């Protein structure tokens, strides 16, 4: 089974894997969210393959539900499930960080080979490439502060790489409650990986005429 939890907002529902950070999808209604999560399994497999991890998910099993908010409807998995406060060992944490590193690598590669101007949405919306990259990098710098990793705004790519290296090291450690930071490590890792992967897929979809928005 693939353990997932559902975050239910006023209008939308996130389905998120507990064991594969970043594998999260949002839709209107529980069934639609779970179906979309399963539909995206082949795309997530690319991340798992890059991390060197076998990815053969079973049928999704909902093991928890959490109340969402307007942020859920906005499109972010914002609520922290109780399961994220369970202890995590160094081996499991390291596995999760390998997936985050893979997401970073793939995002950087896709961004490097994509055009600056991306296909607009049905109403003409959507950031161009450089603004997506800046958004992802600034967001993860803010996320890092939630686990005690603080860096000044980046001046050079080396600054970003140093922040990512420190964040990965912190999230690789074993952990047990009580939480002494803004986010427990499990949630920080899932939120960061989801944000990178979500925009990775956005770039892939919007750089090609056949992509699905």
């Amino acid at each position: 089974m693939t353990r997932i939890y559902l975050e239910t907002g006023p209008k939308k529902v996130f389905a998120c894997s507990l064991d594969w950070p970043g594998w999260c999808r949002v839709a209107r209604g529980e069934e639609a969210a779970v179906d979309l999560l399963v539909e995206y399994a082949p795309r997530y497999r690319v991340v798992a393959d890059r991390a060197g991890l076998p990815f053969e998910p079973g049928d999704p099993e909902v093991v928890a539900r959490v109340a969402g908010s307007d942020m859920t409807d906005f499109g972010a998995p914002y609520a922290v499930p109780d399961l994220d406060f369970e202890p995590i060992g160094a081996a499991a944490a390291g596995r999760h960080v390998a997936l985050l590193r893979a997401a970073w690598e793939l995002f950087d590669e896709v961004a490097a080979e994509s055009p600056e101007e991306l296909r607009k949405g049905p109403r003409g919306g959507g950031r161009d490439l450089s603004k997506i990259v800046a958004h992802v990098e600034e967001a993860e710098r803010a996320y890092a502060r939630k686990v005690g990793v603080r860096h000044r705004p980046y001046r050079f790519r080396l600054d970003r790489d140093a922040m990512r290296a420190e964040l990965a090291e912190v999230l690789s450690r074993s952990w047990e409650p009580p939480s002494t930071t803004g986010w427990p490590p499990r949630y920080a890792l899932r939120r960061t990986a989801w944000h990178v992967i979500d925009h990775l897929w956005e770039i892939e979809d919007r750089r090609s005429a056949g992509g699905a928005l």
Side-chain angles (χ1 to χ4, degrees):
M1 292 293 183
T2 296
R3 298 190 312 149
I4 68 171
Y5 73 91
L6 301 179
E7 176 183 327
T8 304
K11 297 178 181 178
K12 295 183 180 180
V13 177
F14 258 100
C16 296
S17 169
L18 285 161
D19 302 309
W20 296 96
W23 188 23
C24 303
R25 291 287 86 191
V26 65
R28 291 183 178 272
E30 292 188 359
E31 184 176 351
V34 174
D35 287 347
L36 190 60
L37 184 74
V38 172
E39 181 182 324
Y40 270 71
R43 297 185 77 170
Y44 190 86
R45 181 174 285 109
V46 176
V47 180
D49 287 347
R50 175 61 64 93
L53 297 171
F55 180 68
E56 298 298 336
D59 294 335
E61 179 184 6
V62 177
V63 298
R65 285 177 167 81
V66 60
S69 64
D70 290 342
M71 286 299 295
T72 313
D73 289 355
F74 179 72
Y78 197 72
V80 183
D82 290 343
L83 290 168
D84 282 348
F85 291 95
E86 292 182 349
I88 185 170
R95 173 184 171 279
H96 288 179
V97 168
L99 291 160
L100 175 59
R101 289 186 183 277
W104 279 333
E105 289 179 9
L106 290 165
F107 180 87
D108 288 348
E109 289 173 11
V110 168
E113 63 188 24
S114 297
E116 169 62 19
E117 185 174 349
L118 300 173
R119 186 165 55 93
K120 302 301 183 185
R123 298 181 182 177
R127 303 178 180 95
D128 283 332
L129 179 67
S130 59
K131 291 186 177 181
I132 294 176
V133 172
H135 167 68
V136 169
E137 292 179 348
E138 280 304 298
E140 68 190 24
R141 194 170 66 85
Y143 297 164
R145 291 198 295 270
K146 294 290 191 176
V147 290
V149 176
R150 291 176 171 81
H151 282 247
R152 296 178 182 274
Y154 308 136
R155 294 181 61 198
F156 306 103
R157 185 180 179 122
L158 286 175
D159 298 331
R160 185 209 66 177
D161 293 346
M163 192 289 298
R164 286 181 172 179
E166 183 179 352
L167 178 60
E169 192 280 324
V170 168
L171 295 176
S172 295
R173 302 170 188 168
S174 59
W175 180 88
E176 60 183 30
S179 181
T180 58
T181 57
W183 289 347
R186 289 179 187 270
Y187 177 76
L189 216 154
R190 182 185 312 112
R191 179 74 179 269
T192 305
W194 160 78
H195 196 244
V196 175
I197 293 169
D198 191 59
H199 286 293
L200 161 67
W201 291 341
E202 178 193 0
I203 295 170
E204 288 178 336
D205 290 343
R206 292 180 56 213
R207 71 182 180 178
S208 62
L213 292 179

